[in-house]
């Protein structure tokens, strides 16, 4: 099969199209013929040499795909050859075929095309597990999403609105903020020109954000505490702004706040399966009803993975980038 490999870490040009052996369906797994693969920040980090795949995962990148089941391993029930699916992966999605644990496979939701379904698994599982399963966002609360125009951000806005919460976002351009507003965000902050702490406080009568979904990390650590409402929760899921920062624990204590940090890829298979099952139960009906939709910026050929990574590093996209074999 054709697959995108990373012979040595580097820039986007480090991504090389190569021939690899086709995967086989081992017990508990299925092989998917890939229709499309989602591009994620984690893939960029892996290409740069900062985020190696977990033990046993394919060495080539790709954390989510859509496609058709090609083969079913021993002991797998409820999944049939020829079924259209999408899946959360440990790696290997930038390819024509990929093997995936059966517990990480989802049906393509009704009303969603097979290619655009690749935009759903990683974003839906990340947002649902962090904002709802972990941080417990409730109706009437305010969610602050950093990077509102990203794939994660556009999914978080829609899911939070469906849950009856209000949404504030930060983004780096007027066009991205306009798209966030169309999806349901109420408080729009251009981080290049405005202070998100001041803007969110003003919009909430001084209360602040009940939940903060943060992809920035160290750079925003103390300011996230400042913007936090009493009993608020900060969930760090990315480190684009660094890994080390100074934290005023007294301020966090005074707000009775919680600082949480998670990653999805490194979780044990049983935890991923539990998240996928919860997404199927709670999120997929919203997608099928048209209340949550994948936001796709561009679909590119697999051979142009380097271009997709360059676009992601420029942050010039809104929503998801997809690759098709």
């Amino acid at each position: 099969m054709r697959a995108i490999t990373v012979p040595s870490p580097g820039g986007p040009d480090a991504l090389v199209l190569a021939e690899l052996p086709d995967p086989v369906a081992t017990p508990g797994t299925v092989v998917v013929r890939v229709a499309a693969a989602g591009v994620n920040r984690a893939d960029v980090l892996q290409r740069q040499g900062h985020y190696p795949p977990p033990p046993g995962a394919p060495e080539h990148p790709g954390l989510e795909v859509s496609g058709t089941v090609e083969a079913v391993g021993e002991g797998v029930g409820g999944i049939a050859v020829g079924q259209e699916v999408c899946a959360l992966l440990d790696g290997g999605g930038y390819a024509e075929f990929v093997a995936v644990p059966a517990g990480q496979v989802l049906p393509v939701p009704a009303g969603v095309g097979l290619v655009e379904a690749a935009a759903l698994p990683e974003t839906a599982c990340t947002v649902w597990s962090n904002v709802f399963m972990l941080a417990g966002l409730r109706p009437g609360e305010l969610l602050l999403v950093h990077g509102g125009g990203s794939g994660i951000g556009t999914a978080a806005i829609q899911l939070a609105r469906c849950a009856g919460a209000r949404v504030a976002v930060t983004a780096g351009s007027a066009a991205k903020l306009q798209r966030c507003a169309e999806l349901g965000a109420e408080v729009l902050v251009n981080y290049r020109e405005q202070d998100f702490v001041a803007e969110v406080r003003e919009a909430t009568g001084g209360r602040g954000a009940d939940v903060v979904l943060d992809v920035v990390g160290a750079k925003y650590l103390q300011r996230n505490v400042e913007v936090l409402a009493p009993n608020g929760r900060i969930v760090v899921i990315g480190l684009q702004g660094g890994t080390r920062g100074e934290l005023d624990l007294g301020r966090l204590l005074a707000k009775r706040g919680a600082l949480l940090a998670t990653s999805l890829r490194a979780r044990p298979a049983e935890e991923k399966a539990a998240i996928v099952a919860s997404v199927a139960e709670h999120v997929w009906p919203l997608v099928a009803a048209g209340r949550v939709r994948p936001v796709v910026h561009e679909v590119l050929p697999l051979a142009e993975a380097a271009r997709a990574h360059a676009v992601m590093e420029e942050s010039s996209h809104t929503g998801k980038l997809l690759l098709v074999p």
Side-chain angles (χ1 to χ4, degrees), residues 110-192:
V112 176
L114 183 59
V115 169
E116 68 174 341
L120 288 170
E122 177 77 14
T123 52
C125 289
T126 297
V127 173
W128 184 254
S129 64
N130 286 288
V131 175
F132 296 93
M133 296 175 72
L134 182 62
L137 182 70
R138 296 183 286 270
E141 292 190 324
L142 185 128
L143 169 68
L144 169 60
V145 181
H146 292 305
S150 66
I152 295 292
T154 53
I157 294 167
Q158 295 178 79
L159 286 170
R161 294 295 293 151
C162 287
R166 300 176 63 201
V167 182
V169 297
T170 63
S173 72
K176 288 187 178 186
L177 290 174
Q178 176 60 35
R179 186 68 179 109
C180 291
E182 293 168 358
L183 293 171
E186 300 176 40
V187 184
L188 310 171
V189 182
N190 187 325
Y191 66 80
R192 302 181 192 278

Side-chain angles (χ1 to χ4, degrees), residues 40-110:
N40 291 280
R41 290 279 176 185
D43 303 333
V44 173
L45 291 174
Q46 179 175 336
R47 188 205 76 223
Q48 294 170 338
H50 304 313
Y51 194 21
E59 291 293 326
H60 51 291
L63 297 180
E64 59 186 342
V65 297
S66 61
T68 305
V69 176
E70 185 79 6
V72 177
E74 182 182 349
V76 174
I79 302 175
V81 171
Q83 182 178 348
E84 293 187 345
V85 298
C86 53
L88 178 71
L89 309 177
D90 302 332
Y94 290 15
E96 293 179 309
F97 297 93
V98 66
V100 55
Q104 293 167 216
V105 175
L106 288 152
V108 172

Side-chain angles (χ1 to χ4, degrees), residues 142 144 196-197 200-201 204 206-213 221-235 251-259:
L142 185 128
L144 169 60
F196 71 79
V197 176
V200 171
R201 281 180 170 173
T204 58
R207 174 176 170 79
D210 298 284
V211 176
V212 179
L213 185 63
L221 181 58
Q222 189 55 45
R223 296 173 70 203
N224 283 338
V225 174
E226 293 299 321
V227 81
L228 204 61
N231 299 306
R233 294 83 75 196
I234 301 167
V235 186
R251 186 68 172 157
L252 186 66
L253 191 70
K255 293 191 173 189
R256 303 179 300 281
L259 176 61

Side-chain angles (χ1 to χ4, degrees), residues 9-27:
D13 289 342
L15 298 173
V16 176
L17 187 64
E19 287 288 335
L20 295 179
D22 290 354
V24 296
T26 56

